Amino acid sequence: MTIDFGLDRLQGARIVVAMSGGVDSSVAAALAARTGAEVVGVTLQLYDHGEAVKRSGSCCAGQDIYDAAQVADRLGIAHYVLDYESRFRSGVIDRFAEEYAQGRTPIPCALCNQGVKFVDLIAFARELGADCLATGHYVRRTVRNGRAELHRGKDPRRDQSYFLYGTTRDQLDFLRFPLGDLPKDAVRELALEAGLAVAAKPDSQDICFVPDGDYASLVKKLRPETDVPGEIVDLEGRTLGEHRGVVHFTVGQRRGIEIGGSPEPLYVVRIEPDTRRLVVGPRSALAIQRMRVEELSWLGEDQRDVSVKVRSLAPAVSARIEDDGWVCFATPEYGVAPGQAAVFYDGTRVLGGGWIAETLAADPRVSCAAAA
């Protein structure tokens, strides 16, 4: 299989590939090597080897670095390992814990892509004189009227565009995504054809630096105050019970509230970190009409009527971008929480996105100008 890397020349070109040690980035490297260009693999060590070496389904440490080196050797390409542990800790892990301490719902994968995985990797690739940086993300890069655009991956089950909304125009000009048109099964077949030992390696978990998925233990270690008990109150402020620490809850959560006697299920509507209170209510209280989005990153044109995703696996819904960073949903949306990313689309094209800073509950007395 041949992939067009969008380079005017391949003989004499240099392609740097971000290699995490998983099957996706390994196949991206194999496809780059088939072009005849010089290929250089780069792996980031993002956290301590000892904490991750025995884990499967992680990335960027221990066994994964070894796997990336083995793939590079199999392909006959150069391979570098860069120690970015301190940058990753300050830019991603510490902010992850801080977001929970503030009662928000963090998206560390988007933070990582906006920081070390693109900013620092692209800088290193340019230092090597590379013509582009290729990654194993399931997104598509197309060029229309001389301008690069970012689109969803063709396979909706694998699409990772939600986590890449912060990609800048300058970065997109330099990036390549050779897997964007492929389903996962085809990627594993390519890995087998290339004789890569990682062909059957399990996919990495979403939060790579959290051992066994127990994010609460990590947050408690970094921010102990998040494990202090507090009150559970209803929408009117009446005390209903006690929780065991805000670290165990996010907006929209039902599990763990354990309040008896309620005529209907209760959900976390709001977290008040200063008082350590959980505000709970019926599902109807989770309906959101507007949200304020900050730190906006934009790839598209001046467009107000859009579709938007507020979670990676949620469907995109119609909305209108208003003034001062406010976004209005065409119909009330559920599962919208401060700290999450809001990513805007026009069809399959990623227009941009930002962080949800504030939400306003749906009010039947207030109309919304969003496109239906």
Side-chain angles (χ1 to χ4, degrees):
M1 179 178 182
T2 301
I3 296 290
D4 181 8
F5 277 78
L7 300 178
D8 294 334
R9 58 186 175 85
L10 287 171
Q11 292 297 328
R14 177 175 293 169
I15 300 174
V16 169
V17 182
M19 299 180 67
S20 68
V23 63
D24 297 329
S25 61
S26 297
V27 170
L31 292 172
R34 290 184 184 184
T35 66
E38 178 189 1
V39 178
V40 179
V42 179
T43 301
L44 303 180
Q45 179 198 327
L46 298 181
Y47 47 96
D48 182 71
H49 285 210
E51 294 180 357
V53 69
K54 296 182 180 179
R55 290 169 49 209
S56 61
S58 62
C59 84
C60 309
Q63 182 66 41
D64 306 289
I65 294 176
Y66 174 81
D67 289 342
Q70 292 296 104
V71 168
D73 184 65
R74 170 71 180 178
L75 298 175
I77 65 175
H79 180 245
Y80 293 90
V81 178
L82 305 181
D83 183 356
Y84 281 5
E85 184 177 343
S86 61
R87 298 190 197 186
F88 185 73
R89 173 169 288 277
S90 61
V92 178
I93 297 178
D94 288 347
R95 180 163 172 177
F96 177 81
E98 174 63 20
E99 287 288 275
Y100 267 105
Q102 295 300 318
R104 294 157 65 96
T105 304
I107 308 293
C109 296
L111 279 175
C112 183
N113 289 325
Q114 292 174 28
V116 294
K117 281 196 176 175
F118 278 178
V119 174
D120 293 329
L121 255 183
I122 286 177
F124 182 75
R126 291 189 188 278
E127 288 178 8
L128 292 180
D131 294 275
C132 67
L133 171 68
T135 81
H137 289 103
Y138 287 86
V139 292
R140 290 177 291 166
R141 174 189 179 276
T142 65
V143 178
R144 184 171 60 173
N145 298 326
R147 183 172 176 177
E149 297 179 350
L150 183 64
H151 288 256
R152 294 177 185 171
K154 190 171 184 179
D155 183 350
R157 298 169 300 175
R158 305 299 307 176
D159 170 50
Q160 293 173 299
S161 60
Y162 178 83
F163 301 108
L164 299 182
Y165 79 84
T167 305
T168 67
R169 292 176 180 175
D170 182 62
Q171 289 171 347
L172 192 57
D173 286 338
F174 193 69
L175 288 163
R176 301 293 186 273
F177 307 106
L179 307 189
D181 286 311
L182 303 177
K184 185 72 175 197
D185 291 345
V187 170
R188 292 200 182 275
E189 289 175 7
L190 288 169
L192 286 170
E193 291 174 10
L196 305 183
V198 296
K201 187 175 181 178
D203 292 336
S204 61
Q205 63 184 37
D206 283 347
I207 304 178
C208 64
F209 56 88
V210 179
D212 303 321
D214 185 9
Y215 71 87
S217 293
L218 173 68
V219 175
K220 287 187 290 185
K221 180 180 178 181
L222 297 176
R223 299 299 300 265
E225 69 273 21
T226 62
D227 197 36
V228 177
E231 288 184 329
I232 300 175
V233 302
D234 64 15
L235 296 173
E236 306 301 323
R238 294 183 291 259
T239 301
L240 302 179
E242 185 177 86
H243 65 81
R244 56 196 178 104
V246 295
V247 68
H248 302 286
F249 299 90
T250 59
V251 171
Q253 182 173 323
R254 176 183 173 188
R255 178 179 53 83
I257 296 177
E258 300 176 356
I259 297 295
S262 174
E264 55 186 322
L266 296 175
Y267 298 81
V268 178
V269 176
R270 188 170 66 254
I271 299 174
E272 299 177 350
D274 291 341
T275 58
R276 301 194 304 277
R277 296 202 312 177
L278 290 185
V279 180
V280 301
R283 185 176 183 275
S284 59
L286 293 173
I288 297 298
Q289 191 75 66
R290 283 180 168 84
M291 62 181 175
R292 183 171 60 83
V293 179
E294 61 184 13
E295 298 182 45
L296 191 65
S297 176
W298 201 252
L299 283 169
E301 291 72 40
D302 184 13
Q303 188 166 337
R304 294 300 184 101
D305 292 324
V306 297
S307 59
V308 60
K309 294 179 70 168
V310 295
R311 298 180 306 283
S312 62
L313 299 179
V317 297
S318 296
R320 177 180 289 264
I321 300 175
E322 300 178 330
D323 296 330
D324 300 324
W326 284 95
V327 178
C328 185
F329 295 104
T331 57
E333 184 69 7
Y334 293 81
V336 186
Q340 293 172 321
V343 182
F344 304 106
Y345 296 84
D346 180 2
T348 64
R349 183 186 178 189
V350 179
L351 298 173
W355 301 108
I356 301 173
E358 184 180 356
T359 61
L360 291 179
D363 186 341
R365 298 168 298 178
V366 178
S367 63
C368 178

